[in-house]
């Protein structure tokens, strides 16, 4: 985003969003793909925005989680937060993360942006399920396209 446009965008967020949302929107953590990941999902939300999540799993724990989205700043904040929340959890614990947990961790979102958290939660859940499915049928991994650079 062009610096001037980004500055205005952030200024527009002040007062409407928590400091945590603004921080994660401005400085998103865990952006990008994971080569040879163990779990992957790309989901499209009700607004048409997309979020992808990549997971690295070691000894049943989420060793690394990354995301990419073409959505707005709020969606970026949700992707950043959900990947931070998932790291170091067991596969089973990560599967339990809900939109509400992301909203709480971000200090809330305006109602018209609550669906951004739902998109992030769905992307994480399906990436974890992808890991579970792939670990049951390891031969499937060779046929899956998980490493596209978003
Ligand atoms: Fe589309 Fe947030 S505005 S997911």
């Amino acid at each position: 985003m062009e610096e001037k446009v980004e500055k205005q965008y952030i200024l527009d967020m002040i007062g409407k969003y928590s400091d945590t949302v603004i921080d994660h929107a401005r400085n998103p953590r865990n952006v990008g793909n994971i080569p040879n990941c163990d779990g992957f999902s790309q989901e499209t939300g009700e607004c048409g925005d997309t979020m992808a999540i990549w997971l690295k799993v070691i000894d049943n724990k989420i060793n690394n989680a990354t995301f990419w989205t073409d959505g707005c700043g709020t969606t970026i904040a949700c992707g950043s937060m959900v990947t931070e929340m998932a790291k170091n959890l067991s596969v089973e614990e990560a599967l339990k993360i809900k939109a509400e947990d992301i909203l709480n961790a971000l200090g809330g979102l305006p109602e018209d942006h609550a669906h951004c958290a739902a998109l992030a939660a769905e992307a994480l859940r399906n990436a974890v399920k992808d890991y579970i499915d792939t670990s049951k049928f390891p031969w499937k991994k060779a046929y899956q396209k998980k490493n596209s650079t978003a």
Side-chain angles (χ1 to χ4, degrees):
M1 200 184 290
E2 190 189 319
E3 197 178 322
K4 201 172 156 190
V5 175
E6 187 188 351
K7 208 171 174 185
Q8 187 56 51
Y9 184 75
I10 297 301
L11 285 174
D12 289 346
M13 291 182 92
I14 294 171
K16 284 192 227 158
Y17 298 93
S18 72
D19 290 348
T20 308
V21 172
I22 294 171
D23 176 35
H24 279 263
R26 268 188 100 172
N27 307 296
R29 284 65 151 179
N30 315 312
V31 177
N33 69 336
I34 299 175
N36 299 313
C37 67
D38 299 309
F40 172 76
S41 167
Q42 182 164 324
E43 306 302 326
T44 301
E46 60 186 45
C47 61
D49 291 340
T50 299
M51 183 176 293
I53 290 196
W54 290 263
L55 300 175
K56 192 77 196 165
V57 181
I58 297 176
D59 294 336
N60 201 48
K61 273 202 166 179
I62 310 292
N63 173 265
N64 197 10
T66 63
F67 82 101
W68 175 87
T69 182
D70 58 5
C72 64
T74 313
T75 317
I76 293 168
C78 289
S80 175
M81 181 55 85
V82 79
T83 48
E84 284 287 278
M85 290 169 75
K87 282 195 216 173
N88 298 314
L89 293 183
S90 70
V91 166
E92 294 75 19
E93 289 167 334
L95 209 46
K96 289 182 191 161
I97 294 178
K98 294 184 174 49
E100 196 184 337
D101 302 320
I102 301 167
L103 288 171
N104 287 338
L106 285 171
L109 285 175
E111 202 169 309
D112 59 343
H113 277 285
H115 70 274
C116 309
L119 175 61
E122 185 187 10
L124 175 66
R125 190 168 48 252
N126 288 337
V128 174
K129 284 181 179 172
D130 178 56
Y131 163 72
I132 293 169
D133 286 351
T134 309
S135 54
K136 280 186 203 153
F137 306 102
W139 54 268
K140 280 187 178 178
K141 198 168 180 175
Y143 298 95
Q144 291 173 329
K145 255 182 105 181
K146 293 182 172 182
N147 299 316
S148 59
T149 306

